[in-house]
Amino acid sequence: MATVEGRISHAPMTAEERKVIFASSLGTVFEWYDFYLAGSLAIYISKTFFSGVNPTAGFIFTLLGFAAGFAVRPFGAIVFGRLGDMVGRKYTFLVTIVIMGLSTFLIGFLPGYATIGIAAPVIFIAMRLLQGLALGGEYGGAATYVAEHAPSNKRGAWTAWIQTTATLGLFISLIVILAVRTITGEEQFGAWAWRIPFLVSILLLAVSVWIRMKLHESPVFERIKSEGKTSKVPLTEAFDEWKNLKIVLLALFGLTAGQAVVWWYTGQFYSLFFLTQTLKVDGTSANIMVAVALLIGTPFFVFFGSLSDRIGRKPIIMAGCLIAALSFFPLFKALAHYTNPALETATQKSPIVVIANPDECSFQFNPVGTSKFRRHAISRRARCRKPA
């Protein structure tokens, strides 16, 4: 049953309303699956597409390529948000999901650096940019589409399902990777089978398009369109008028930036890299640990989304950021203690200090390894000081 913006409903959810949430969420889950594969398989991508530099630099460049997708997401939101205002949410959904699915599929077939040279990393980054543009439009569009169907007193509960999609997308990517790794074996997985999860995306794309084609246009958009009230210059209205721009900036830096750092980048992805790269946990075990954590945490999105309809959004956002600020340091310390106690003991018994001449001490980020730095193993606290 189509809903009207502002309606308050206490009736049970209808079959049509469940279909709206399911179809919107499932398509977005598949998009996040595609988007997150580059991070989950970063070590194999670096060895394949960035083998022209040393392994450490290659891994850093892979992460930068992964970050490029996030960097262009705001532009995707602007471009496809404008398209959604012009032609509707449903058709914008189809465009974004096709771009995402095809970009991911092409990465699975992309030859490595040893075959086509510098073109390999260039094409990989280009595909990541397309993925970021698509996801920027998809994620915001899905939330808008569901919110425009939701009664005003259930928007938190309904759109909370969209918030689960990023976690579920990462969860599915880890499960697919674990399955392929188990079936093919570690040696074959590292050689070529890591591409299979990317190729699977073509099947997910077909399912997503089929489901999305069955959706109807948002009732709010249809009403606004029929009344001739669609904006002719939405970007100007959003960013050129201070009263609207202020809301955009508050939402970006006051609401979404903090939860994005807490939820996705630190809580999910950095924890995976921390386990495998710093604590040297094998990939299978690390994937299982993160997957279990995601499975446990996902239902809480819906719980707190529903709670926000009762007590408001702000208290929940503030509480979540506060808990993260207080718990992240002890949690990562506990990860090191319980997964690699030998490494923890070694860092305590054999600290290291970097000693450098203050006149020569400078910014030392050098991912391609061309600079040489003299080090002296005395203490772990890194600082610039005059050598004795």
Side-chain angles (χ1 to χ4, degrees):
M1 180 177 67
T3 62
V4 179
E5 188 177 25
R7 177 175 68 83
I8 295 178
S9 173
H10 301 285
M13 190 181 297
T14 66
E16 179 66 23
E17 291 168 343
R18 284 194 293 268
K19 186 176 77 171
V20 166
I21 295 176
F22 175 76
S24 302
S25 300
L26 187 63
T28 309
V29 166
F30 291 160
E31 288 225 23
W32 278 113
Y33 165 87
D34 290 348
F35 191 77
Y36 274 153
L37 282 178
S40 301
L41 296 169
I43 188 66
Y44 303 101
I45 290 173
S46 68
K47 292 177 180 178
T48 304
F49 301 141
F50 295 92
S51 58
V53 294
N54 67 71
T56 300
F59 187 72
I60 292 174
F61 283 136
T62 301
L63 295 183
L64 290 175
F66 180 68
F70 287 100
V72 298
R73 275 187 60 194
F75 299 100
I78 292 172
V79 171
F80 290 108
R82 177 70 179 99
L83 185 63
D85 288 336
M86 293 172 60
V87 303
R89 322 308 189 201
K90 174 182 174 178
Y91 295 105
T92 304
F93 272 163
L94 294 174
V95 173
T96 58
I97 208 162
V98 168
I99 292 175
M100 176 66 83
L102 291 180
S103 300
T104 306
F105 185 68
L106 290 175
I107 291 176
F109 276 116
L110 181 63
Y113 184 89
T115 304
I116 60 174
I118 193 66
V122 170
I123 295 174
F124 168 73
I125 292 175
M127 294 301 101
R128 285 296 301 166
L129 293 175
L130 286 176
Q131 287 181 324
L133 287 172
L135 187 62
E138 165 71 21
Y139 192 60
T144 301
Y145 183 79
V146 172
E148 288 180 344
H149 279 83
S152 60
N153 62 325
K154 294 183 179 179
R155 286 192 185 127
W158 284 36
T159 56
W161 290 98
I162 300 299
Q163 304 309 310
T164 68
T165 58
T167 300
L168 290 174
L170 176 56
F171 176 79
I172 294 174
S173 75
L174 294 178
I175 295 301
V176 172
I177 290 169
L178 282 170
V180 175
R181 177 180 265 138
T182 302
I183 294 170
T184 62
E186 195 64 39
E187 183 177 349
Q188 293 301 314
F189 186 83
W192 62 270
W194 63 267
R195 295 176 179 271
I196 294 177
F198 286 95
L199 301 178
V200 168
S201 67
I202 199 69
L203 301 176
L204 304 182
L205 172 61
V207 173
S208 299
V209 171
W210 177 71
I211 292 175
R212 291 283 175 86
M213 288 295 291
K214 295 180 176 297
L215 290 176
H216 299 292
E217 187 53 81
S218 159
V220 174
F221 177 78
E222 289 283 19
R223 176 169 56 81
I224 293 174
K225 185 177 180 180
S226 65
E227 295 174 356
K229 294 181 180 179
T230 55
S231 174
K232 300 298 187 295
V233 284
L235 297 183
T236 301
E237 291 179 2
F239 300 107
D240 198 41
E241 297 179 15
W242 173 243
K243 64 177 182 178
N244 295 331
L245 178 60
K246 180 173 65 174
I247 296 174
V248 172
L249 295 176
L250 286 173
L252 177 60
F253 296 106
L255 300 177
T256 59
Q259 59 88 19
V261 171
V262 168
W263 169 27
W264 289 327
Y265 313 136
T266 306
Q268 296 181 9
F269 257 104
Y270 181 68
S271 61
L272 181 61
F273 294 144
F274 184 68
L275 286 168
T276 57
Q277 302 300 309
T278 303
L279 301 180
K280 305 305 177 185
V281 176
D282 67 275
T284 299
S285 299
N287 284 352
I288 291 174
M289 283 189 279
V290 174
V292 170
L294 294 175
L295 192 62
I296 294 172
T298 298
F300 288 97
F301 288 108
V302 179
F303 172 78
F304 285 109
S306 300
L307 185 62
S308 74
D309 288 325
R310 302 177 187 176
I311 68 173
R313 327 298 186 199
K314 182 177 177 180
I316 292 177
I317 294 172
M318 296 294 289
C321 290
L322 177 62
I323 291 172
L326 297 176
S327 64
F328 266 24
F329 281 99
L331 283 174
F332 275 88
K333 186 176 181 180
L335 273 179
H337 177 75
Y338 289 106
T339 59
N340 196 337
L343 178 62
E344 182 187 41
T345 302
T347 58
Q348 293 172 351
K349 292 184 176 180
S350 305
I352 298 172
V353 123
V354 177
I355 300 177
N357 189 327
D359 296 331
E360 300 175 356
C361 188
S362 62
F363 184 61
Q364 297 184 8
F365 179 71
N366 186 251
V368 295
T370 55
S371 298
K372 303 295 181 183
F373 304 111
R374 291 188 304 171
R375 291 170 292 180
H376 183 58
I378 299 178
S379 164
R380 192 161 193 72
R381 296 183 302 276
R383 61 180 181 270
C384 294
R385 74 181 192 190
K386 291 183 179 180

